[in-house]
Amino acid sequence: VQLQASGGGLVQAGGSLRLSCAVSGRTFSNYGMGWFRQAPGKEREFVAAIGRNGGSTAYAYNVKGRFTISRDNAKNTMYLQMNSLKPEDTAVYYCAVKSGITIATVTSRYDYWGQGTQVTVSS
């Protein structure tokens, strides 16, 4: 299984970015997926998760209302639309795939990880 995250970059506070995660090597539509992030000196933290059909989603409290997770099973791709970005959103963002159809908010539930994409929000 391979995950390729992209779409990161440098943006001013209040701006937007859309991250993508392309998955290959397994039947994409059978599995839940998630986004996590890790800032320097901090542990990796949950951002958002989505069930296999996109009908179930979950968000961290500090991104709810600003970020939207979605997936296109026909394209084997997951997205994270990030609006109203804040400097504290600066981190490396990772996408991950988990076994089973349910969503999960902890790193230990995920089996495969992408390489990460850097998001930097300037004040």
Side-chain angles (χ1 to χ4, degrees), residues 36-79:
F36 291 76
R37 67 187 183 187
Q38 188 166 19
K42 295 187 177 181
E43 293 186 354
R44 192 169 299 188
E45 66 173 5
F46 169 73
V47 175
I50 189 166
R52 66 172 180 169
N53 293 323
S56 298
T57 58
Y59 295 92
Y61 75 95
N62 52 358
V63 306
K64 196 168 186 178
R66 299 188 297 123
F67 291 10
T68 302
I69 189 171
S70 62
R71 63 191 294 165
D72 185 338
N73 287 346
K75 295 182 178 179
N76 283 11
T77 303
M78 175 179 67
Y79 305 97

Side-chain angles (χ1 to χ4, degrees), residues 75-92:
K75 295 182 178 179
N76 283 11
T77 303
M78 175 179 67
Y79 305 97
L80 184 69
Q81 178 66 44
M82 305 186 296
N83 299 328
S84 302
L85 283 161
K86 304 175 181 181
E88 50 263 44
D89 294 318
T90 295
V92 176

Side-chain angles (χ1 to χ4, degrees), residues 5-28:
S6 62
L10 173 64
V11 64
Q12 288 187 333
S16 298
L17 283 174
R18 188 175 83 154
L19 305 184
S20 299
C21 178
V23 180
S24 60
R26 63 170 35 185
T27 305
F28 180 76

